[in-house]
Amino acid sequence: MSAARKLLLLPLLAAGRRSVRPSQPLLFRRSYSADKAGESANRGKRSPVRRVLSIGVISLAGGVALSALNDLAIFHGCTRKAIEKATDNRVVVEAIGVPIVRGPWYDASVAVGQRRRSVLCTFPVSGPQGSGLFHVEAIRNGEDGMLSFLRHHDWEILVMDAHLEAPSDDGNQKTIIVNLTSSADRL
């Protein structure tokens, strides 16, 4: 390589552009760097739009995450109240035993309505002797505030049914349907 060519390449190498091969013509090297300068100028013009778009996407994702977290808190609060009510029922305790354990949330069905003040929920439960499904319709007591989704709410159960699979005397499973809304069969 000639000394003159090395002098021409020295500023490019010092600037960190080692990807340009010395065998390329000087004209190409200049147009390449001019294209890069034009791209960086265009990138600066699009930058505020990209920032606004990024903030919008992050805000939307945050809102969806907060809504899902709120629905999960509603699910846990409502099912906790339903399990407490079922533990007080003699027929349910005889059928599946105690402790009654709530199944996983992903096997449940939850419908929240009226500004998150009412819920319709079906979820699996199990006990030492059997398992089943609880169907609950409940309303929330309390007032709405700025950060009300962070507070524990008291749920009033309006309708509650239990569909239980329990062992029978002949060794087979029997299905028991219990209406837990009435106060009958309390322990």
Side-chain angles (χ1 to χ4, degrees):
M1 186 181 305
S2 69
R5 193 169 195 150
K6 283 183 182 178
L7 287 175
L8 288 175
L9 288 177
L10 188 60
L12 291 175
L13 292 174
R17 299 180 194 230
R18 296 188 174 133
S19 63
V20 177
R21 295 187 313 239
S23 62
Q24 292 175 333
L26 184 60
L27 179 65
F28 177 73
R29 279 184 255 152
R30 286 183 185 161
S31 66
Y32 176 75
S33 61
D35 286 345
K36 284 292 190 183
E39 284 179 17
S40 63
N42 288 339
R43 194 177 320 138
K45 291 178 185 176
R46 289 183 285 177
S47 182
V49 173
R50 285 185 179 175
R51 286 182 190 155
V52 168
L53 186 62
S54 298
I55 289 170
V57 168
I58 290 170
S59 298
L60 181 65
V64 168
L66 279 177
S67 177
L69 186 63
N70 190 14
D71 289 349
L72 189 61
I74 288 171
F75 170 73
H76 281 287
C78 185
T79 57
R80 183 179 327 117
K81 186 80 168 186
I83 290 173
E84 288 172 6
K85 187 170 186 149
T87 304
D88 292 341
N89 187 286
R90 179 183 53 79
V91 176
V92 174
V93 170
E94 288 175 1
I96 64 172
V98 287
I100 298 173
V101 179
R102 173 184 47 229
W105 61 268
Y106 50 82
D107 284 340
S109 168
V110 179
V112 180
Q114 295 180 355
R115 293 180 40 198
R116 302 193 185 281
R117 297 189 67 80
S118 67
V119 66
L120 213 71
C121 182
T122 302
F123 62 98
V125 294
S126 63
Q129 300 168 353
S131 62
L133 285 174
F134 285 174
H135 174 76
V136 179
E137 295 178 27
I139 58 172
R140 181 181 69 178
N141 296 326
E143 57 189 56
D144 288 330
M146 183 67 132
L147 298 174
S148 65
F149 67 91
L150 295 175
R151 292 192 316 252
H152 172 73
H153 292 288
D154 187 32
W155 291 91
E156 180 183 343
I157 296 176
L158 302 175
V159 177
M160 182 173 170
D161 296 321
H163 297 259
L164 308 171
E165 296 290 328
S168 64
D169 296 333
D170 61 357
N172 293 330
Q173 293 285 329
K174 63 180 176 179
T175 302
I176 302 170
I177 299 175
V178 181
N179 182 348
L180 293 153
T181 306
S182 64
S183 60
D185 298 321
R186 289 229 174 230
L187 288 178

mmCIF file of all heavy atoms in Angstrom, residues 59-106:
data_model
loop_
_atom_site.group_PDB
_atom_site.id
_atom_site.type_symbol
_atom_site.label_atom_id
_atom_site.label_comp_id
_atom_site.label_asym_id
_atom_site.label_seq_id
_atom_site.Cartn_x
_atom_site.Cartn_y
_atom_site.Cartn_z
ATOM 1 N N SER A 59 -47.219 2.928 28.188
ATOM 2 C CA SER A 59 -48.400 3.295 28.980
ATOM 3 C C SER A 59 -49.536 2.307 28.770
ATOM 4 O O SER A 59 -50.209 1.906 29.728
ATOM 5 C CB SER A 59 -48.882 4.692 28.607
ATOM 6 O OG SER A 59 -47.889 5.637 28.882
ATOM 7 N N LEU A 60 -49.755 1.900 27.545
ATOM 8 C CA LEU A 60 -50.797 0.918 27.247
ATOM 9 C C LEU A 60 -50.493 -0.410 27.921
ATOM 10 O O LEU A 60 -51.382 -1.016 28.534
ATOM 11 C CB LEU A 60 -50.932 0.740 25.737
ATOM 12 C CG LEU A 60 -52.000 -0.239 25.269
ATOM 13 C CD1 LEU A 60 -53.377 0.282 25.655
ATOM 14 C CD2 LEU A 60 -51.907 -0.431 23.767
ATOM 15 N N ALA A 61 -49.256 -0.858 27.844
ATOM 16 C CA ALA A 61 -48.875 -2.120 28.491
ATOM 17 C C ALA A 61 -49.022 -2.018 30.011
ATOM 18 O O ALA A 61 -49.478 -2.955 30.660
ATOM 19 C CB ALA A 61 -47.434 -2.480 28.120
ATOM 20 N N GLY A 62 -48.679 -0.880 30.572
ATOM 21 C CA GLY A 62 -48.844 -0.677 32.013
ATOM 22 C C GLY A 62 -50.307 -0.696 32.422
ATOM 23 O O GLY A 62 -50.676 -1.263 33.453
ATOM 24 N N GLY A 63 -51.168 -0.081 31.625
ATOM 25 C CA GLY A 63 -52.604 -0.089 31.913
ATOM 26 C C GLY A 63 -53.186 -1.486 31.856
ATOM 27 O O GLY A 63 -54.001 -1.875 32.699
ATOM 28 N N VAL A 64 -52.780 -2.263 30.864
ATOM 29 C CA VAL A 64 -53.256 -3.643 30.751
ATOM 30 C C VAL A 64 -52.756 -4.464 31.935
ATOM 31 O O VAL A 64 -53.507 -5.266 32.509
ATOM 32 C CB VAL A 64 -52.805 -4.260 29.407
ATOM 33 C CG1 VAL A 64 -53.031 -5.761 29.378
ATOM 34 C CG2 VAL A 64 -53.533 -3.595 28.252
ATOM 35 N N ALA A 65 -51.508 -4.269 32.335
ATOM 36 C CA ALA A 65 -50.961 -5.004 33.479
ATOM 37 C C ALA A 65 -51.692 -4.641 34.771
ATOM 38 O O ALA A 65 -52.002 -5.523 35.584
ATOM 39 C CB ALA A 65 -49.462 -4.721 33.617
ATOM 40 N N LEU A 66 -51.991 -3.361 34.982
ATOM 41 C CA LEU A 66 -52.740 -2.953 36.177
ATOM 42 C C LEU A 66 -54.154 -3.531 36.181
ATOM 43 O O LEU A 66 -54.661 -3.952 37.223
ATOM 44 C CB LEU A 66 -52.796 -1.435 36.285
ATOM 45 C CG LEU A 66 -51.564 -0.762 36.865
ATOM 46 C CD1 LEU A 66 -51.728 0.751 36.846
ATOM 47 C CD2 LEU A 66 -51.291 -1.244 38.272
ATOM 48 N N SER A 67 -54.796 -3.568 35.026
ATOM 49 C CA SER A 67 -56.136 -4.142 34.931
ATOM 50 C C SER A 67 -56.105 -5.639 35.251
ATOM 51 O O SER A 67 -56.969 -6.145 35.973
ATOM 52 C CB SER A 67 -56.702 -3.912 33.534
ATOM 53 O OG SER A 67 -57.957 -4.523 33.407
ATOM 54 N N ALA A 68 -55.110 -6.338 34.726
ATOM 55 C CA ALA A 68 -54.990 -7.773 35.017
ATOM 56 C C ALA A 68 -54.695 -8.006 36.491
ATOM 57 O O ALA A 68 -55.241 -8.934 37.103
ATOM 58 C CB ALA A 68 -53.884 -8.385 34.157
ATOM 59 N N LEU A 69 -53.863 -7.176 37.085
ATOM 60 C CA LEU A 69 -53.554 -7.290 38.510
ATOM 61 C C LEU A 69 -54.799 -7.029 39.353
ATOM 62 O O LEU A 69 -55.051 -7.728 40.338
ATOM 63 C CB LEU A 69 -52.436 -6.309 38.882
ATOM 64 C CG LEU A 69 -51.892 -6.388 40.292
ATOM 65 C CD1 LEU A 69 -51.250 -7.749 40.531
ATOM 66 C CD2 LEU A 69 -50.879 -5.285 40.523
ATOM 67 N N ASN A 70 -55.606 -6.057 38.955
ATOM 68 C CA ASN A 70 -56.849 -5.762 39.654
ATOM 69 C C ASN A 70 -57.816 -6.944 39.549
ATOM 70 O O ASN A 70 -58.451 -7.325 40.531
ATOM 71 C CB ASN A 70 -57.483 -4.496 39.093
ATOM 72 C CG ASN A 70 -58.634 -4.014 39.937
ATOM 73 O OD1 ASN A 70 -58.834 -4.439 41.060
ATOM 74 N ND2 ASN A 70 -59.404 -3.107 39.376
ATOM 75 N N ASP A 71 -57.953 -7.537 38.363
ATOM 76 C CA ASP A 71 -58.825 -8.698 38.193
ATOM 77 C C ASP A 71 -58.345 -9.882 39.033
ATOM 78 O O ASP A 71 -59.153 -10.616 39.598
ATOM 79 C CB ASP A 71 -58.916 -9.093 36.728
ATOM 80 C CG ASP A 71 -59.710 -8.102 35.896
ATOM 81 O OD1 ASP A 71 -60.364 -7.214 36.493
ATOM 82 O OD2 ASP A 71 -59.676 -8.201 34.661
ATOM 83 N N LEU A 72 -57.053 -10.061 39.127
ATOM 84 C CA LEU A 72 -56.503 -11.140 39.952
ATOM 85 C C LEU A 72 -56.789 -10.894 41.432
ATOM 86 O O LEU A 72 -57.148 -11.822 42.168
ATOM 87 C CB LEU A 72 -54.997 -11.273 39.719
ATOM 88 C CG LEU A 72 -54.318 -12.477 40.342
ATOM 89 C CD1 LEU A 72 -54.893 -13.776 39.802
ATOM 90 C CD2 LEU A 72 -52.819 -12.417 40.095
ATOM 91 N N ALA A 73 -56.697 -9.643 41.880
ATOM 92 C CA ALA A 73 -57.024 -9.311 43.271
ATOM 93 C C ALA A 73 -58.510 -9.543 43.541
ATOM 94 O O ALA A 73 -58.881 -10.045 44.613
ATOM 95 C CB ALA A 73 -56.650 -7.860 43.571
ATOM 96 N N ILE A 74 -59.362 -9.215 42.578
ATOM 97 C CA ILE A 74 -60.791 -9.471 42.717
ATOM 98 C C ILE A 74 -61.040 -10.968 42.817
ATOM 99 O O ILE A 74 -61.796 -11.435 43.669
ATOM 100 C CB ILE A 74 -61.565 -8.852 41.524
ATOM 101 C CG1 ILE A 74 -61.575 -7.338 41.649
ATOM 102 C CG2 ILE A 74 -62.984 -9.407 41.438
ATOM 103 C CD1 ILE A 74 -62.116 -6.628 40.423
ATOM 104 N N PHE A 75 -60.372 -11.745 41.968
ATOM 105 C CA PHE A 75 -60.520 -13.206 41.991
ATOM 106 C C PHE A 75 -60.132 -13.771 43.350
ATOM 107 O O PHE A 75 -60.860 -14.571 43.941
ATOM 108 C CB PHE A 75 -59.673 -13.821 40.877
ATOM 109 C CG PHE A 75 -59.550 -15.311 40.953
ATOM 110 C CD1 PHE A 75 -60.624 -16.131 40.629
ATOM 111 C CD2 PHE A 75 -58.366 -15.900 41.351
ATOM 112 C CE1 PHE A 75 -60.509 -17.505 40.699
ATOM 113 C CE2 PHE A 75 -58.242 -17.269 41.428
ATOM 114 C CZ PHE A 75 -59.319 -18.078 41.090
ATOM 115 N N HIS A 76 -58.986 -13.350 43.865
ATOM 116 C CA HIS A 76 -58.529 -13.881 45.158
ATOM 117 C C HIS A 76 -59.449 -13.458 46.307
ATOM 118 O O HIS A 76 -59.743 -14.257 47.189
ATOM 119 C CB HIS A 76 -57.084 -13.460 45.432
ATOM 120 C CG HIS A 76 -56.094 -14.286 44.703
ATOM 121 N ND1 HIS A 76 -55.798 -15.578 45.055
ATOM 122 C CD2 HIS A 76 -55.324 -14.016 43.632
ATOM 123 C CE1 HIS A 76 -54.900 -16.077 44.233
ATOM 124 N NE2 HIS A 76 -54.592 -15.141 43.344
ATOM 125 N N GLY A 77 -59.906 -12.221 46.315
ATOM 126 C CA GLY A 77 -60.791 -11.763 47.379
ATOM 127 C C GLY A 77 -62.131 -12.476 47.368
ATOM 128 O O GLY A 77 -62.647 -12.901 48.411
ATOM 129 N N CYS A 78 -62.702 -12.631 46.193
ATOM 130 C CA CYS A 78 -64.010 -13.271 46.067
ATOM 131 C C CYS A 78 -63.928 -14.763 46.386
ATOM 132 O O CYS A 78 -64.782 -15.303 47.087
ATOM 133 C CB CYS A 78 -64.533 -13.045 44.653
ATOM 134 S SG CYS A 78 -66.187 -13.663 44.395
ATOM 135 N N THR A 79 -62.902 -15.449 45.886
ATOM 136 C CA THR A 79 -62.785 -16.886 46.140
ATOM 137 C C THR A 79 -62.456 -17.173 47.603
ATOM 138 O O THR A 79 -62.896 -18.189 48.143
ATOM 139 C CB THR A 79 -61.733 -17.529 45.226
ATOM 140 O OG1 THR A 79 -60.475 -16.871 45.397
ATOM 141 C CG2 THR A 79 -62.156 -17.456 43.768
ATOM 142 N N ARG A 80 -61.708 -16.299 48.246
ATOM 143 C CA ARG A 80 -61.409 -16.469 49.671
ATOM 144 C C ARG A 80 -62.705 -16.438 50.482
ATOM 145 O O ARG A 80 -62.930 -17.270 51.359
ATOM 146 C CB ARG A 80 -60.446 -15.384 50.151
ATOM 147 C CG ARG A 80 -60.019 -15.538 51.599
ATOM 148 C CD ARG A 80 -59.033 -14.465 52.054
ATOM 149 N NE ARG A 80 -58.138 -14.000 51.017
ATOM 150 C CZ ARG A 80 -58.106 -12.752 50.556
ATOM 151 N NH1 ARG A 80 -58.913 -11.842 51.044
ATOM 152 N NH2 ARG A 80 -57.258 -12.398 49.620
ATOM 153 N N LYS A 81 -63.555 -15.488 50.154
ATOM 154 C CA LYS A 81 -64.849 -15.369 50.844
ATOM 155 C C LYS A 81 -65.719 -16.606 50.572
ATOM 156 O O LYS A 81 -66.394 -17.107 51.472
ATOM 157 C CB LYS A 81 -65.551 -14.097 50.371
ATOM 158 C CG LYS A 81 -66.799 -13.771 51.084
ATOM 159 C CD LYS A 81 -66.504 -13.114 52.392
ATOM 160 C CE LYS A 81 -67.785 -12.526 52.953
ATOM 161 N NZ LYS A 81 -67.548 -11.749 54.138
ATOM 162 N N ALA A 82 -65.697 -17.115 49.346
ATOM 163 C CA ALA A 82 -66.492 -18.295 48.990
ATOM 164 C C ALA A 82 -65.994 -19.541 49.720
ATOM 165 O O ALA A 82 -66.796 -20.355 50.186
ATOM 166 C CB ALA A 82 -66.449 -18.517 47.483
ATOM 167 N N ILE A 83 -64.694 -19.691 49.843
ATOM 168 C CA ILE A 83 -64.141 -20.851 50.553
ATOM 169 C C ILE A 83 -64.476 -20.779 52.034
ATOM 170 O O ILE A 83 -64.790 -21.797 52.663
ATOM 171 C CB ILE A 83 -62.624 -20.980 50.289
ATOM 172 C CG1 ILE A 83 -62.403 -21.413 48.843
ATOM 173 C CG2 ILE A 83 -61.973 -21.952 51.260
ATOM 174 C CD1 ILE A 83 -60.964 -21.429 48.398
ATOM 175 N N GLU A 84 -64.447 -19.581 52.613
ATOM 176 C CA GLU A 84 -64.856 -19.423 54.018
ATOM 177 C C GLU A 84 -66.310 -19.851 54.206
ATOM 178 O O GLU A 84 -66.642 -20.545 55.162
ATOM 179 C CB GLU A 84 -64.694 -17.968 54.464
ATOM 180 C CG GLU A 84 -63.271 -17.526 54.643
ATOM 181 C CD GLU A 84 -63.151 -16.023 54.899
ATOM 182 O OE1 GLU A 84 -64.208 -15.344 55.043
ATOM 183 O OE2 GLU A 84 -62.021 -15.531 54.945
ATOM 184 N N LYS A 85 -67.158 -19.447 53.268
ATOM 185 C CA LYS A 85 -68.570 -19.804 53.347
ATOM 186 C C LYS A 85 -68.756 -21.308 53.170
ATOM 187 O O LYS A 85 -69.568 -21.925 53.861
ATOM 188 C CB LYS A 85 -69.365 -19.030 52.292
ATOM 189 C CG LYS A 85 -70.849 -19.209 52.409
ATOM 190 C CD LYS A 85 -71.576 -18.245 51.498
ATOM 191 C CE LYS A 85 -73.065 -18.376 51.770
ATOM 192 N NZ LYS A 85 -73.757 -17.137 51.552
ATOM 193 N N ALA A 86 -68.008 -21.919 52.265
ATOM 194 C CA ALA A 86 -68.125 -23.364 52.030
ATOM 195 C C ALA A 86 -67.613 -24.174 53.221
ATOM 196 O O ALA A 86 -68.138 -25.251 53.506
ATOM 197 C CB ALA A 86 -67.369 -23.745 50.770
ATOM 198 N N THR A 87 -66.611 -23.676 53.918
ATOM 199 C CA THR A 87 -66.064 -24.378 55.083
ATOM 200 C C THR A 87 -67.086 -24.435 56.211
ATOM 201 O O THR A 87 -67.056 -25.357 57.031
ATOM 202 C CB THR A 87 -64.765 -23.683 55.552
ATOM 203 O OG1 THR A 87 -63.863 -23.627 54.444
ATOM 204 C CG2 THR A 87 -64.098 -24.440 56.669
ATOM 205 N N ASP A 88 -68.015 -23.495 56.249
ATOM 206 C CA ASP A 88 -69.073 -23.487 57.263
ATOM 207 C C ASP A 88 -70.249 -24.387 56.910
ATOM 208 O O ASP A 88 -71.171 -24.520 57.707
ATOM 209 C CB ASP A 88 -69.593 -22.055 57.470
ATOM 210 C CG ASP A 88 -68.561 -21.151 58.110
ATOM 211 O OD1 ASP A 88 -67.612 -21.681 58.715
ATOM 212 O OD2 ASP A 88 -68.702 -19.916 57.997
ATOM 213 N N ASN A 89 -70.252 -24.992 55.724
ATOM 214 C CA ASN A 89 -71.377 -25.809 55.285
ATOM 215 C C ASN A 89 -71.089 -27.291 55.543
ATOM 216 O O ASN A 89 -70.091 -27.834 55.077
ATOM 217 C CB ASN A 89 -71.640 -25.555 53.798
ATOM 218 C CG ASN A 89 -72.890 -26.220 53.311
ATOM 219 O OD1 ASN A 89 -72.917 -27.424 53.148
ATOM 220 N ND2 ASN A 89 -73.920 -25.417 53.083
ATOM 221 N N ARG A 90 -72.015 -27.965 56.258
ATOM 222 C CA ARG A 90 -71.841 -29.355 56.659
ATOM 223 C C ARG A 90 -71.770 -30.293 55.450
ATOM 224 O O ARG A 90 -70.931 -31.204 55.411
ATOM 225 C CB ARG A 90 -72.993 -29.763 57.578
ATOM 226 C CG ARG A 90 -72.931 -31.211 58.046
ATOM 227 C CD ARG A 90 -74.128 -31.586 58.900
ATOM 228 N NE ARG A 90 -75.418 -31.305 58.295
ATOM 229 C CZ ARG A 90 -76.015 -32.071 57.366
ATOM 230 N NH1 ARG A 90 -75.427 -33.146 56.942
ATOM 231 N NH2 ARG A 90 -77.187 -31.733 56.890
ATOM 232 N N VAL A 91 -72.607 -30.111 54.443
ATOM 233 C CA VAL A 91 -72.649 -30.996 53.285
ATOM 234 C C VAL A 91 -71.340 -30.931 52.502
ATOM 235 O O VAL A 91 -70.798 -31.959 52.079
ATOM 236 C CB VAL A 91 -73.861 -30.642 52.380
ATOM 237 C CG1 VAL A 91 -73.858 -31.487 51.128
ATOM 238 C CG2 VAL A 91 -75.160 -30.798 53.147
ATOM 239 N N VAL A 92 -70.814 -29.744 52.314
ATOM 240 C CA VAL A 92 -69.555 -29.578 51.583
ATOM 241 C C VAL A 92 -68.402 -30.218 52.350
ATOM 242 O O VAL A 92 -67.577 -30.941 51.779
ATOM 243 C CB VAL A 92 -69.266 -28.085 51.305
ATOM 244 C CG1 VAL A 92 -67.892 -27.901 50.683
ATOM 245 C CG2 VAL A 92 -70.330 -27.491 50.405
ATOM 246 N N VAL A 93 -68.352 -29.999 53.658
ATOM 247 C CA VAL A 93 -67.275 -30.562 54.482
ATOM 248 C C VAL A 93 -67.340 -32.081 54.469
ATOM 249 O O VAL A 93 -66.306 -32.763 54.365
ATOM 250 C CB VAL A 93 -67.343 -29.990 55.917
ATOM 251 C CG1 VAL A 93 -66.395 -30.730 56.837
ATOM 252 C CG2 VAL A 93 -67.019 -28.507 55.899
ATOM 253 N N GLU A 94 -68.541 -32.667 54.548
ATOM 254 C CA GLU A 94 -68.670 -34.119 54.504
ATOM 255 C C GLU A 94 -68.292 -34.678 53.133
ATOM 256 O O GLU A 94 -67.758 -35.779 53.040
ATOM 257 C CB GLU A 94 -70.095 -34.540 54.859
ATOM 258 C CG GLU A 94 -70.436 -34.373 56.315
ATOM 259 C CD GLU A 94 -71.900 -34.688 56.623
ATOM 260 O OE1 GLU A 94 -72.643 -35.047 55.689
ATOM 261 O OE2 GLU A 94 -72.278 -34.558 57.793
ATOM 262 N N ALA A 95 -68.573 -33.937 52.068
ATOM 263 C CA ALA A 95 -68.318 -34.426 50.716
ATOM 264 C C ALA A 95 -66.838 -34.386 50.338
ATOM 265 O O ALA A 95 -66.298 -35.392 49.854
ATOM 266 C CB ALA A 95 -69.122 -33.614 49.708
ATOM 267 N N ILE A 96 -66.166 -33.252 50.536
ATOM 268 C CA ILE A 96 -64.766 -33.157 50.079
ATOM 269 C C ILE A 96 -63.770 -32.977 51.216
ATOM 270 O O ILE A 96 -62.563 -33.077 51.001
ATOM 271 C CB ILE A 96 -64.574 -32.036 49.029
ATOM 272 C CG1 ILE A 96 -64.848 -30.660 49.594
ATOM 273 C CG2 ILE A 96 -65.394 -32.306 47.800
ATOM 274 C CD1 ILE A 96 -64.497 -29.522 48.653
ATOM 275 N N GLY A 97 -64.230 -32.718 52.423
ATOM 276 C CA GLY A 97 -63.336 -32.567 53.567
ATOM 277 C C GLY A 97 -62.754 -31.172 53.678
ATOM 278 O O GLY A 97 -62.994 -30.312 52.836
ATOM 279 N N VAL A 98 -61.991 -30.985 54.750
ATOM 280 C CA VAL A 98 -61.301 -29.718 54.968
ATOM 281 C C VAL A 98 -59.821 -30.004 55.158
ATOM 282 O O VAL A 98 -59.470 -31.072 55.635
ATOM 283 C CB VAL A 98 -61.852 -28.939 56.191
ATOM 284 C CG1 VAL A 98 -63.195 -28.347 55.875
ATOM 285 C CG2 VAL A 98 -61.914 -29.781 57.424
ATOM 286 N N PRO A 99 -58.945 -29.166 54.808
ATOM 287 C CA PRO A 99 -59.122 -27.815 54.276
ATOM 288 C C PRO A 99 -59.533 -27.848 52.797
ATOM 289 O O PRO A 99 -59.127 -28.720 52.046
ATOM 290 C CB PRO A 99 -57.752 -27.170 54.432
ATOM 291 C CG PRO A 99 -56.795 -28.308 54.340
ATOM 292 C CD PRO A 99 -57.513 -29.491 54.963
ATOM 293 N N ILE A 100 -60.319 -26.870 52.437
ATOM 294 C CA ILE A 100 -60.724 -26.694 51.036
ATOM 295 C C ILE A 100 -59.701 -25.774 50.390
ATOM 296 O O ILE A 100 -59.421 -24.689 50.886
ATOM 297 C CB ILE A 100 -62.139 -26.093 50.946
ATOM 298 C CG1 ILE A 100 -63.143 -27.039 51.595
ATOM 299 C CG2 ILE A 100 -62.503 -25.816 49.490
ATOM 300 C CD1 ILE A 100 -64.538 -26.466 51.713
ATOM 301 N N VAL A 101 -59.138 -26.235 49.285
ATOM 302 C CA VAL A 101 -58.069 -25.497 48.608
ATOM 303 C C VAL A 101 -58.567 -25.029 47.243
ATOM 304 O O VAL A 101 -59.145 -25.813 46.484
ATOM 305 C CB VAL A 101 -56.817 -26.392 48.439
ATOM 306 C CG1 VAL A 101 -55.709 -25.643 47.719
ATOM 307 C CG2 VAL A 101 -56.342 -26.911 49.777
ATOM 308 N N ARG A 102 -58.326 -23.782 46.960
ATOM 309 C CA ARG A 102 -58.695 -23.201 45.665
ATOM 310 C C ARG A 102 -57.742 -23.734 44.597
ATOM 311 O O ARG A 102 -56.539 -23.838 44.800
ATOM 312 C CB ARG A 102 -58.594 -21.684 45.742
ATOM 313 C CG ARG A 102 -58.780 -20.976 44.421
ATOM 314 C CD ARG A 102 -58.588 -19.466 44.505
ATOM 315 N NE ARG A 102 -57.404 -19.115 45.240
ATOM 316 C CZ ARG A 102 -57.365 -18.214 46.226
ATOM 317 N NH1 ARG A 102 -58.442 -17.590 46.584
ATOM 318 N NH2 ARG A 102 -56.250 -17.949 46.838
ATOM 319 N N GLY A 103 -58.301 -24.038 43.434
ATOM 320 C CA GLY A 103 -57.495 -24.488 42.304
ATOM 321 C C GLY A 103 -56.778 -23.321 41.657
ATOM 322 O O GLY A 103 -56.927 -22.165 42.064
ATOM 323 N N PRO A 104 -56.001 -23.579 40.622
ATOM 324 C CA PRO A 104 -55.239 -22.504 39.973
ATOM 325 C C PRO A 104 -56.154 -21.509 39.265
ATOM 326 O O PRO A 104 -57.226 -21.860 38.775
ATOM 327 C CB PRO A 104 -54.356 -23.243 38.968
ATOM 328 C CG PRO A 104 -54.988 -24.569 38.770
ATOM 329 C CD PRO A 104 -55.763 -24.886 40.002
ATOM 330 N N TRP A 105 -55.709 -20.258 39.231
ATOM 331 C CA TRP A 105 -56.509 -19.186 38.640
ATOM 332 C C TRP A 105 -56.727 -19.396 37.151
ATOM 333 O O TRP A 105 -57.725 -18.966 36.597
ATOM 334 C CB TRP A 105 -55.870 -17.827 38.900
ATOM 335 C CG TRP A 105 -54.510 -17.678 38.311
ATOM 336 C CD1 TRP A 105 -53.324 -17.953 38.920
ATOM 337 C CD2 TRP A 105 -54.181 -17.256 36.989
ATOM 338 N NE1 TRP A 105 -52.285 -17.728 38.060
ATOM 339 C CE2 TRP A 105 -52.787 -17.298 36.865
ATOM 340 C CE3 TRP A 105 -54.944 -16.848 35.895
ATOM 341 C CZ2 TRP A 105 -52.135 -16.969 35.697
ATOM 342 C CZ3 TRP A 105 -54.288 -16.503 34.725
ATOM 343 C CH2 TRP A 105 -52.899 -16.559 34.646
ATOM 344 N N TYR A 106 -55.804 -20.073 36.463
ATOM 345 C CA TYR A 106 -55.951 -20.242 35.023
ATOM 346 C C TYR A 106 -57.003 -21.287 34.669
ATOM 347 O O TYR A 106 -57.403 -21.396 33.519
ATOM 348 C CB TYR A 106 -54.614 -20.568 34.352
ATOM 349 C CG TYR A 106 -53.836 -21.692 34.993
ATOM 350 C CD1 TYR A 106 -54.126 -23.012 34.712
ATOM 351 C CD2 TYR A 106 -52.808 -21.421 35.875
ATOM 352 C CE1 TYR A 106 -53.422 -24.035 35.299
ATOM 353 C CE2 TYR A 106 -52.091 -22.434 36.466
ATOM 354 C CZ TYR A 106 -52.400 -23.743 36.166
ATOM 355 O OH TYR A 106 -51.696 -24.760 36.753
#
